Amino acid sequence: MVETRFSKFLQKLGFSGADHQYEPLEIGELETLFDEQYELKPIDKEKAVVALTPKEASKCSKAELAKIFYVDLQKGLSEFSVTQRRLVHGWNELVTTKSEPVWKKYLEQFKNPLILLLLASALVSIITKNYEDAVSIIMAVMIVVSVAFIQEYRSEKSLEELTKLVPPECNCIRDGKLQHLFARDLVPGDIVTLSVGDRIPADIRLTEVTDLQVDESSFTGETEPCSKTDMQLTGEGDITSLRNIVFMGTLVQYGNAQGVVIGTGEHSQFGEVFKMMRAEETPKTPLQKSMDSLGKQLTLFSFCIIGIIIFIGWLQGKPLLSMFTIGVSLAVAAIPEGLPIVVMITLVLGVLRMAKKQVIVKKLPIVETLGCCNVICSDKTGTLTANEMTVTQLLTSDGLHAEVSGVGYNGQGTVCLLPSKVVIKDFSNISVGKLVEAGCVANNAVIGKHTMVGQPTEAALIALAMKMNLSDIKDSYVRKKEIPFSSEKKWMAVQCTPKDEEQEDIYFMKGAFEEVIHYCTTYNNGGIPLPLTPQQKSSWQQEEKKMGFLGLRVLALASGPELDQMTFLGLVGLIDPPRVGVKDAVRVLAESGVCVKMITGDAMETAFAIGRSIGLCTKRANTMSGEEVENMEQSQLAEHIKKISVFYRTSPKHKLKIIKALQDSGAIVAMTGDGVNDAVALKAADIGIAMGQMGTDVSKEAANMILVDDDFSAIINAVEEGKGIFHNIKNFVRFQLSTSISALSLIALSTLCNLPNPLNAMQILWINIIMDGLPAQSLGVEPVDKDILRQPPRKIKAMILNRALILKILLSASVIVSGTFFIFWKEIPEDRTSTPRTTTMTFTCFVFFDLFNALTCRSQTKLIFQMGFFQNHMFLYSVLGSIVGQLAVIYMPPLQKVFQTTELQVLDLMFLVSLTSSVFILSELLKLCEQVCCTSKNSQIHLADV
């Protein structure tokens, strides 16, 4: 009987070894189970104690908590109980899984299809005794793999950094004594005391509270500190509404408290985020997918070459083995071993350019991923806003409206009367001056040069006084008494005596309008107190509702000789306003095809107000709550999510579900955030972006990118850079493949026509140096075209080698092969024997074709004159160096012997330049035609719209 009931008890609480499955606990049934007449041995009793979920614990009375955790709420646990519970629950810490050894992580870099293809090429080169090619290919692979490994090794520290937020020490009552312990020593049932400045060491159900306020902004997104209580809760609600629970990692801002530990380590809410983050894998970037696809395409291309060569050789009756050797050699030569290096250099240079713009990129491919990002999900508090409460509106008791500019805890900004826009300083307007004075005196915040101590709301009132040169008004009074704020009465007041005048004591009060107005018998009218009327109360109440509708937090202020004889002074509207430049950034991103969505834990009114002020939404139909997200199926959410711009009252699970739904709908998602509650979404997104100054360690480590100055508008530069990088990679691929195909085709054509080889081994090596060397790699550092930002994000399935690029490659290759083969045919003697002049003319012709081809490959769409001839200095120097090198090979006797060349006449060079420039002229004409056709098409669309 006892065993059956005890099993039922365990089942209800959800205890199942290391993995807890929680189920709501019915209080009545709990009483019945504990009142049964059975006893457990002390060790069994300790092992029966299980962690409670916050929702379950919030509904328990203090007596029920004592029974569930077998603890005396005044004396705490015994050392014996602590030892036994630790055997079940472990230490209060977040333990990461054992990481793979470094050598294994290094070897994983070789899984890239393009790397495997290059290694296969190196192997074939060794078999065919082309050792120079093998060495160059292996060196290229090692450079690429090593750089990628170093980047990956530095960035995968998310879970280790997460443990740093668990505080190292706490105050705990054990055996009736207050002890100072390491936080990792806590177990469920421990009694913990909390005071101002403490970071909460575990999930705790409060049992004693004195004016406790906790900063949960990093966890819930709420800017304002949350008032806590020790009362038992009965209603249903989300985790942000559990006012008798404090969560691991949050901060005590005011008051003190005592409570029972209900969850430690991975069984805390913080631990839930940890487990979600550990389970989440960083998705593969679009560039990585494109490079994988390119590797497969080149592999197929290589096999096709081998097959064609063998088949034609078989038709001609040549030995299959020799034809196979030739085919494999040509296929290896066709593979652009310089491609991974150029991609790496392009990405590294992109990262360095971003660093100059105060954006740190932790993973190289992420730079390019921004080029195809079409949705940016952003946290509100600390990201779109500065997480600094600011007064934006004033309403005096005699009906004057004033507007306040400036953001943050400083004196930058002005107070202007509306509608005249007259700037107010000191007591130039007595009604506004008295209102600001009350807010400054009834205040405990202190603003330093770079710091703020106190509550955000009070700091905002000090900043308001600084803007009116009234911040020193507080020194005119001597405080005699303070009546602190409490969540029950919703106001605070101070009793002061003026320093320089022999006047009676005066009270200053601030708080919720409906509470403050009860203490007021008069209102201020230009410095004269007049009796209050019901009509005036109703009018102010309407104004308060209007401010609340705008998402403002409204405070009422009053002063008077006695608490029951106060004079109403007016209303102050505060909000955590958008950062400077955010509205413009949202507009620019929208124009470039990037949709911005806000995801916040804040209330709907505040979220909607911020969303409307930065241009995200205009009507409430564009908003959705976390509860609605939770109740929707994933497929249903993916359908509706495109219409929603603002998500409010969201938890980390909701944020993750939103990210997944967007990805399911085909979007490339960037997520920006700064808190613990953003960490899972940051890791799950295609691009995680953290704030450098306000961001927690968790968010920074979970992210791929960090905005050093917390400047949201820096994302525009990052998107621009990402789009430019992909275009540069395409430019390089076009150049290198057109060159390699031309070289292959020239050799294959001469072989099939039973002609001598048009190029010797050293000449082919020189061409390879140009193809994979500086002229090619300088295409990867082409400055970002400013017009690229206006282009929509590239599609995720868009391949590097698309149809348009393949056609351009084949066109350039056809011109190069035709022109070079024409020179070879023209210069070859009648006996079809190769002479130094023949190979020199052919060789020089091919090199000049290559350089003109590189010039036109600088852009796929813009003419050389539109780009600017001297924009890419590295390209100019590398081309100039190649020309000087080619002339040296032709005219310097030592090099003539090595390359088997001979001197050419000036007319020969002029003829070759005029011929080889045809590839440049033809490509530029093609671009011009595309521009004309595109302009014509856009004009027709515009006329159709009109």
Side-chain angles (χ1 to χ4, degrees):
M1 177 70 177
V2 170
E3 289 179 2
T4 305
R5 289 186 178 279
F6 186 62
S7 299
K8 185 178 180 183
F9 170 65
L10 288 181
Q11 189 176 4
K12 291 301 288 183
L13 289 181
F15 178 66
S16 57
D19 189 16
H20 294 242
Q21 299 295 325
Y22 297 113
E23 187 178 325
L25 192 66
E26 295 174 20
I27 303 302
E29 190 170 357
L30 177 73
E31 292 285 350
T32 305
L33 289 167
F34 272 104
D35 288 342
E36 293 292 342
Q37 298 300 313
Y38 64 83
E39 292 184 2
L40 294 172
K41 292 179 182 179
I43 292 179
D44 293 334
K45 188 184 290 186
E46 297 304 334
K47 289 183 178 178
V49 173
V50 296
L52 289 182
T53 65
K55 286 188 178 181
E56 289 172 350
S58 68
K59 296 177 183 178
C60 294
S61 67
K62 296 174 187 178
E64 289 163 355
L65 283 170
K67 281 186 178 182
I68 292 171
F69 289 104
Y70 297 106
V71 63
D72 185 320
L73 298 182
Q74 300 306 317
K75 294 182 179 180
L77 296 173
S78 66
E79 289 299 332
F80 170 79
S81 298
V82 171
T83 304
Q84 295 303 318
R85 294 182 191 199
R86 189 167 294 127
L87 294 174
V88 176
H89 300 280
W91 297 97
N92 178 32
E93 58 187 3
L94 305 175
V95 183
T96 58
T97 53
K98 193 174 181 181
S99 60
E100 291 181 341
V102 174
W103 63 268
K104 196 170 182 180
K105 287 183 178 180
Y106 187 80
L107 290 179
E108 282 182 358
Q109 303 296 327
F110 289 90
K111 291 181 180 179
N112 187 322
L114 196 57
I115 297 295
L116 292 173
L117 182 61
L118 289 173
L119 289 174
S121 303
L123 181 63
V124 171
S125 298
I126 292 170
I127 293 169
T128 55
K129 298 183 180 180
N130 293 321
Y131 299 115
E132 294 87 354
D133 286 350
V135 170
S136 64
I137 291 171
I138 290 170
M139 284 182 65
V141 168
M142 295 306 294
I143 291 169
V144 170
V145 166
S146 299
V147 172
F149 167 72
I150 290 167
Q151 287 293 325
E152 293 288 329
Y153 189 72
R154 285 178 179 175
S155 63
E156 284 298 323
K157 291 181 181 177
S158 302
L159 299 177
E160 289 87 344
E161 279 297 319
L162 190 53
T163 59
K164 291 182 182 178
L165 261 188
V166 178
E169 297 174 346
C170 64
N171 295 311
C172 177
I173 299 174
R174 286 182 182 170
D175 290 320
K177 298 176 183 177
L178 183 63
Q179 302 180 27
H180 196 65
L181 305 173
F182 286 112
R184 71 190 296 267
D185 294 334
L186 293 178
V187 295
D190 260 326
I191 305 300
V192 175
T193 63
L194 303 169
S195 56
V196 176
D198 287 350
R199 198 169 282 280
I200 312 295
D203 284 1
I204 297 172
R205 162 64 163 89
L206 299 171
T207 55
E208 295 179 19
V209 168
T210 306
D211 298 329
L212 185 69
Q213 294 193 358
V214 179
D215 178 7
E216 297 182 341
S217 60
S218 69
F219 203 78
T220 64
E222 289 277 7
T223 309
E224 280 294 303
C226 181
S227 297
K228 296 294 181 177
T229 179
D230 56 4
M231 302 297 290
Q232 180 181 357
L233 303 181
T234 55
E236 293 292 329
D238 62 11
I239 203 162
T240 59
S241 65
L242 303 181
R243 293 179 57 240
N244 58 4
I245 306 289
V246 289
F247 301 103
M248 178 193 283
T250 56
L251 185 69
V252 178
Q253 276 209 342
Y254 191 80
N256 50 69
Q258 184 172 303
V260 182
V261 173
I262 60 171
T264 58
E266 292 192 13
H267 303 300
S268 64
Q269 282 300 307
F270 197 87
E272 289 296 320
V273 176
F274 172 85
K275 285 188 283 188
M276 289 169 65
M277 190 169 159
R278 184 167 60 187
E280 202 57 45
E281 291 186 7
T282 305
K284 221 173 190 182
T285 68
L287 180 62
Q288 288 169 327
K289 293 175 183 176
S290 295
M291 295 305 291
D292 290 351
S293 175
L294 181 61
K296 291 170 185 174
Q297 287 174 311
L298 291 175
T299 304
L300 182 64
F301 173 68
S302 301
F303 280 119
C304 288
I305 290 176
I306 294 169
I308 291 169
I309 295 290
I310 291 173
F311 179 70
I312 293 174
W314 176 71
L315 289 178
Q316 292 180 339
K318 293 181 179 179
L320 286 177
L321 185 60
S322 63
M323 293 311 298
F324 176 76
T325 305
I326 293 170
V328 169
S329 300
L330 292 174
V332 169
I335 296 169
E337 62 266 26
L339 179 59
I341 291 180
V342 168
V343 170
M344 192 64 64
I345 289 171
T346 305
L347 293 176
V348 167
L349 288 171
V351 168
L352 294 175
R353 283 196 293 265
M354 292 309 303
K356 290 179 182 177
K357 297 173 183 176
Q358 300 299 297
V359 178
I360 296 172
V361 179
K362 292 163 61 180
K363 292 189 177 182
L364 291 178
I366 290 297
V367 187
E368 188 279 331
T369 307
L370 283 159
C372 47
C373 169
N374 49 18
V375 177
I376 295 176
C377 294
S378 179
D379 175 47
K380 178 187 76 70
T381 308
T383 305
L384 294 175
T385 66
N387 198 12
E388 294 180 339
M389 291 296 286
T390 305
V391 177
T392 58
Q393 288 189 26
L394 302 177
L395 172 67
T396 64
S397 52
D398 49 359
L400 296 176
H401 287 264
E403 182 182 65
V404 185
S405 64
V407 177
Y409 304 133
N410 54 64
Q412 296 175 4
T414 57
V415 179
C416 302
L417 274 179
L418 296 177
S420 63
K421 295 285 186 180
V422 174
V423 176
I424 306 170
K425 294 288 183 182
D426 299 307
F427 283 93
S428 59
N429 183 290
I430 192 70
S431 297
V432 176
K434 279 186 168 292
L435 180 65
V436 174
E437 178 189 37
C440 185
V441 177
N443 203 308
N444 293 312
V446 177
I447 296 178
K449 286 186 178 180
H450 303 289
T451 58
M452 183 279 287
V453 179
Q455 296 194 33
T457 301
E458 293 192 332
L461 294 172
I462 296 289
L464 171 66
M466 292 166 68
K467 292 169 186 176
M468 288 185 58
N469 298 333
L470 288 175
S471 57
D472 296 332
I473 195 73
K474 196 174 183 179
D475 300 332
S476 304
Y477 296 90
V478 176
R479 183 180 294 190
K480 294 175 67 175
K481 178 184 174 184
E482 177 183 342
I483 304 170
F485 177 89
S486 73
S487 54
E488 285 74 30
K489 62 178 185 285
K490 296 183 179 178
W491 58 266
M492 70 87 70
V494 293
Q495 181 185 0
C496 300
T497 301
K499 275 185 180 179
D500 303 329
E501 300 175 28
E502 293 183 2
Q503 292 182 357
E504 296 180 355
D505 288 355
I506 183 170
Y507 284 87
F508 293 98
M509 178 187 283
K510 73 174 188 295
F513 170 75
E514 64 272 13
E515 299 298 329
V516 171
I517 201 69
H518 289 321
Y519 296 88
C520 297
T521 56
T522 60
Y523 75 95
N524 175 58
N525 186 7
I528 302 170
L530 297 177
L532 273 176
T533 65
Q535 291 81 5
Q536 285 166 327
K537 286 184 182 180
S538 176
S539 172
W540 293 327
Q541 195 168 24
Q542 292 299 317
E543 291 292 341
E544 187 221 10
K545 286 182 179 178
K546 284 181 184 177
M547 285 186 176
F549 181 76
L550 295 173
L552 300 178
R553 186 188 177 195
V554 184
L555 286 179
L557 292 141
S559 65
E562 297 291 340
L563 279 178
D564 56 354
Q565 296 178 28
M566 302 294 281
T567 298
F568 183 70
L569 298 175
L571 301 172
V572 172
L574 308 94
I575 198 170
D576 179 15
R579 288 180 182 275
V580 177
V582 165
K583 186 174 182 179
D584 291 336
V586 169
R587 177 183 54 78
V588 172
L589 287 167
E591 288 173 357
S592 64
V594 181
C595 174
V596 179
K597 297 180 186 292
M598 183 169 74
I599 310 176
T600 179
D602 227 328
M604 190 265 285
E605 290 79 9
T606 307
F608 179 70
I610 295 295
R612 183 171 54 188
S613 67
I614 61 176
L616 283 186
C617 58
T618 54
K619 51 188 179 182
R620 308 235 167 173
N622 299 125
T623 65
M624 182 181 284
S625 69
E627 189 177 353
E628 290 175 288
V629 170
E630 190 167 349
N631 294 333
M632 274 192 179
E633 293 292 331
Q634 194 74 23
S635 56
Q636 188 183 4
L637 182 61
E639 290 177 14
H640 286 78
I641 206 162
K642 292 180 181 178
K643 303 171 187 174
I644 307 300
S645 300
V646 174
F647 297 88
Y648 61 93
R649 289 291 184 216
T650 57
S651 68
K653 286 184 180 179
H654 298 149
K655 292 184 178 185
L656 180 61
K657 190 173 181 180
I658 291 165
I659 296 293
K660 294 287 187 186
L662 285 164
Q663 289 172 332
D664 290 345
S665 66
I668 297 296
V669 185
M671 173 74 196
T672 68
D674 67 329
V676 176
N677 57 335
D678 301 315
V680 182
L682 286 170
K683 191 167 184 185
D686 297 284
I687 311 154
I689 306 171
M691 301 292 116
Q693 294 179 358
M694 300 292 292
T696 59
D697 284 344
V698 186
S699 63
K700 290 176 189 175
E701 285 302 318
N704 313 112
M705 205 169 95
I706 298 168
L707 306 181
V708 176
D709 293 336
D710 292 5
D711 184 4
F712 183 82
S713 57
I715 293 175
I716 296 174
N717 295 327
V719 170
E720 189 178 74
E721 194 70 44
K723 289 181 177 180
I725 282 171
F726 187 75
H727 282 271
N728 285 351
I729 291 172
K730 285 185 75 172
N731 294 342
F732 170 81
V733 169
R734 177 186 172 184
F735 168 72
Q736 199 169 51
L737 287 184
S738 58
T739 302
S740 59
I741 289 172
S742 302
L744 282 175
S745 302
L746 185 65
I747 294 167
L749 198 61
S750 58
T751 302
L752 295 174
C753 294
N754 287 322
L755 294 172
N757 202 330
L759 304 169
N760 60 44
M762 290 304 297
Q763 291 168 352
I764 291 174
L765 181 62
W766 177 253
I767 289 170
N768 259 324
I769 290 170
I770 294 176
M771 188 174 78
D772 294 325
L774 284 177
Q777 292 178 13
S778 62
L779 292 172
V781 300
E782 191 71 36
V784 176
D785 183 1
K786 295 298 178 184
D787 292 339
I788 284 176
L789 187 59
R790 300 193 191 100
Q791 297 178 9
R794 73 177 181 89
K795 293 179 181 178
I796 186 173
K797 293 182 180 178
M799 296 184 294
I800 294 176
L801 270 181
N802 55 22
R803 185 183 298 176
L805 189 62
I806 290 172
L807 289 174
K808 287 177 181 177
I809 288 170
L810 293 177
L811 177 66
S812 297
S814 301
V815 174
I816 294 170
V817 170
S818 302
T820 308
F821 197 76
F822 165 73
I823 292 295
F824 179 58
W825 187 271
K826 175 177 172 290
E827 294 295 332
I828 198 169
E830 290 184 5
D831 59 358
R832 294 196 173 186
T833 56
S834 183
T835 64
R837 176 175 170 80
T838 304
T839 55
T840 303
M841 285 289 285
T842 307
F843 172 44
T844 307
C845 179
F846 193 94
V847 169
F848 283 4
F849 261 127
D850 228 16
L851 297 177
F852 274 115
N853 188 35
L855 184 62
T856 194
C857 285
R858 282 180 59 193
S859 172
Q860 302 293 320
T861 55
K862 283 198 167 185
L863 301 173
I864 189 67
F865 306 108
Q866 294 171 332
M867 293 176 61
F869 197 82
F870 301 101
Q871 286 280 62
N872 190 343
H873 297 293
M874 182 179 171
F875 177 81
L876 288 177
Y877 295 143
S878 60
V879 168
L880 187 62
S882 299
I883 292 171
V884 170
Q886 182 64 25
L887 294 176
V889 164
I890 296 172
Y891 294 106
M892 290 183 67
L895 293 177
Q896 285 178 340
K897 290 180 180 178
V898 174
F899 287 90
Q900 299 176 17
T901 57
T902 186
E903 291 185 5
L904 298 178
Q905 301 297 318
V906 175
L907 288 176
D908 291 331
L909 292 176
M910 291 175 65
F911 172 67
L912 289 176
V913 168
S914 61
L915 175 67
T916 54
S917 62
S918 60
V919 69
F920 168 76
I921 294 168
L922 193 63
S923 295
E924 293 295 291
L925 287 174
L926 187 61
K927 291 179 195 175
L928 185 62
C929 291
E930 287 177 348
Q931 287 181 4
V932 171
C933 292
C934 187
T935 305
S936 176
K937 188 177 180 180
N938 290 339
S939 300
Q940 290 175 5
I941 292 171
H942 178 69
L943 288 171
D945 291 341
V946 172

